[in-house]
Amino acid sequence: MTPPVSTDLVAAIQERVAAQKDEIVTFFRELCAIPSMAGQIGPVGERMAAEMRRLGFEDVRFDKMGNIMGRIGHGPRVFVYDTHIDTVGIADPEAWQWDPFEGKIEDGYLYARGAGDEKGSAPGMVYGLAIAHVLGLLEGYTAYVFGNMEEDCDGIAPNTFVEVDPGIRPTFVVVGEPTRLQTYRGHKGRVELKVVAKGRSAHAASNQLGDNAVYKMLPVIAAIRDLEPQLGDHPFLGHGKITVSDIKAQTASLNAVPDECTIYIDRRLTFGETMEDAIEQVRRLIPPANQAAGDITVEMLYYDIPSYTGFVFPVDKYYPAWALEPDHPLVQASQATRQAIGLPAVEPGKWDFSTNGTYWTGKAGIPSIGFGPGEEEVAHTVMDRNSLAEVVKATEFYALLPALVGQLD
């Protein structure tokens, strides 16, 4: 159990947050106004860097991959506030009822691309750590705000943080993906797969001479559609998921029999399911004749796309499931912080989607929790939004948490 929190300390934090409310909201709007799709986070990283320098961060720089980091404090214990500042694209511009970058404020929400996923956590993290530093709450800590690329490959940015630049292993991490200001302690993992069917090309007028790769793939697609009830289940993380997320055909022309068909699969893994199990499950869906012929294959995807700086960090597209126990000290500190700043009591939850926690805790074993403003359900939609009140309130949490974690020693 965490010791009682000083009401004077909480009042001091809340007074400073209230005094900077307008600056926090303006900073949030300016972050959303800067496009940062497809990992192009240079300009929005520069805006974050300027704010961190203005607020007294001691070392602000881009890493080799192009993520922005700001350090404050000099203690032996290291923690990271993780906020991904890249976004998905806007898809059909006609589907938006407002400019997706200028956004709009209505009923206390900012509607803009990236408002919920995940630029909403960045202002609170930056301002919260600055406040914590001024109030002396970072004694014994070195703290980082890590504005990174996440949308294309979960966990690759924290992987470089620990293993490449700056090459530091944090004591704990807070992931700022939207949680509605609740404590989240894990989520399912996933693996991305592709299935390739090989056929034989022929003129469509003589299609009997060909071997249509699209037709060959159809029973595999149908089997994947029907597979989900057989997948694993877990009391906390829930049921495994599988989705055909894309399909491509290779053909000589629109008047030819396709000689190759590829489908892509998003497979969500719950506890008790392994990457190898997931791949083998799909392999077993291939009809026996095709297994014997070897003309339908299954493989895991691989990520080796250079970042906007040209940095390459090749990894398999496998992201393990993870969860901290409800009584883990970091979870308890988070819950105590929420209570201290007046948020309603609610049990720690989980995300349905995937986050950088797949590396921090799933691969590296570094204790991590999730806490951020906003709703997971509006991510990647034209209703991408965040509550301005939550964005400001999150600042109080990010400022106070280090003090409560420090009391657990």
Side-chain angles (χ1 to χ4, degrees):
M1 293 291 293
T2 54
V5 182
S6 163
T7 55
D8 289 344
L9 173 58
V10 174
I13 289 172
Q14 292 180 328
E15 181 180 350
R16 287 177 179 273
V17 171
Q20 295 178 300
K21 174 184 174 181
D22 291 344
E23 295 173 55
I24 294 168
V25 170
T26 297
F27 181 38
F28 177 39
R29 294 203 69 176
E30 290 176 356
L31 292 177
C32 291
I34 301 171
S36 53
M37 301 172 289
Q40 300 298 308
I41 66 170
V44 74
E46 291 285 4
R47 179 64 189 89
M48 275 190 69
E51 201 75 3
M52 287 190 282
R53 292 188 181 105
R54 189 180 72 83
L55 292 172
F57 280 68
E58 297 153 274
D59 180 27
V60 180
R61 66 178 179 87
F62 286 92
D63 68 7
K64 294 178 180 178
M65 187 179 184
N67 307 299
I68 187 67
M69 62 178 73
R71 179 184 59 79
I72 193 166
H74 298 278
R77 302 182 72 196
V78 177
F79 71 89
V80 172
Y81 283 169
D82 174 322
T83 177
H84 81 74
I85 54 173
D86 61 341
T87 74
V88 296
I90 61 171
D92 179 9
E94 297 299 319
W96 292 79
Q97 298 178 34
W98 48 85
D99 184 292
F101 302 110
E102 178 182 343
K104 71 167 183 175
I105 292 179
E106 186 174 285
D107 298 327
Y109 286 85
L110 172 63
Y111 291 80
R113 173 53 83 221
D117 185 20
E118 176 214 343
K119 293 177 179 179
S121 62
M125 289 178 170
V126 171
Y127 276 79
L129 281 186
I131 290 169
H133 183 62
V134 169
L135 294 178
L137 304 183
L138 298 182
E139 184 176 348
Y141 285 118
T142 298
Y144 287 88
V145 173
F146 185 47
N148 59 77
M149 290 173 269
E150 185 265 359
E151 287 289 5
D152 286 344
C153 187
D154 309 347
I156 192 171
N159 201 325
T160 64
F161 187 99
V162 173
E163 298 183 23
V164 180
D165 182 13
I168 293 172
R169 184 181 178 88
T171 306
F172 71 89
V173 174
V174 178
V175 176
E177 298 271 14
T179 70
R180 292 192 177 93
L181 301 186
Q182 299 175 28
T183 302
Y184 279 12
R185 60 182 182 90
H187 57 69
K188 285 192 281 283
R190 65 189 178 98
V191 60
E192 295 184 19
L193 308 174
K194 73 174 180 179
V195 182
V196 180
K198 297 286 189 177
R200 184 174 62 255
S201 183
H203 198 290
S206 303
N207 58 9
Q208 74 279 4
L209 301 177
D211 183 13
N212 195 312
V214 172
Y215 296 165
K216 193 174 291 186
M217 188 67 79
L218 292 179
V220 178
I221 294 173
I224 291 171
R225 178 197 62 202
D226 299 335
L227 179 64
E228 196 160 297
Q230 305 169 41
L231 303 183
D233 203 4
H234 183 268
F236 177 62
L237 291 187
H239 199 77
K241 300 278 188 179
I242 189 166
T243 301
V244 175
S245 56
D246 197 5
I247 183 168
K248 300 182 185 301
Q250 175 179 283
T251 186
S253 76
L254 295 180
N255 309 114
V257 174
D259 62 0
E260 184 175 289
C261 180
T262 302
I263 61 170
Y264 295 87
I265 298 171
D266 181 303
R267 173 69 163 89
R268 302 283 157 155
L269 303 168
T270 195
F271 278 149
E273 297 184 310
T274 68
M275 171 184 67
E276 294 81 8
D277 290 341
I279 295 171
E280 186 57 33
Q281 280 175 327
V282 175
R283 284 200 178 110
R284 289 199 298 265
L285 303 179
I286 299 171
N290 299 113
Q291 289 189 31
D295 55 5
I296 301 182
T297 58
V298 182
E299 63 182 87
M300 182 166 54
L301 295 183
Y302 189 71
Y303 189 86
D304 59 358
I305 299 173
S307 73
Y308 75 97
T309 66
F311 179 82
V312 178
F313 192 88
V315 291
D316 292 327
K317 300 196 79 173
Y318 165 60
Y319 315 92
W322 66 280
L324 294 187
E325 292 300 319
D327 60 355
H328 189 282
L330 182 57
V331 175
Q332 293 299 303
S334 177
Q335 291 291 80
T337 303
R338 293 184 69 259
Q339 180 180 357
I341 63 174
L343 291 173
V346 61
E347 289 298 311
K350 66 181 186 298
W351 288 285
D352 285 329
F353 61 30
S354 185
T355 76
N356 278 339
T358 60
Y359 176 79
W360 293 121
T361 304
K363 290 184 179 180
I366 298 166
S368 306
I369 56 162
F371 183 91
E375 312 149 272
E376 179 179 350
E377 295 81 2
V378 300
H380 299 189
T381 75
V382 296
M383 296 299 291
D384 196 347
R385 69 177 189 173
N386 215 319
S387 161
L388 297 179
E390 286 192 12
V391 169
V392 173
K393 189 68 175 178
T395 311
E396 300 175 14
F397 176 94
Y398 297 130
L400 181 60
L401 180 66
L404 272 73
V405 173
Q407 292 179 11
L408 298 174
D409 293 336

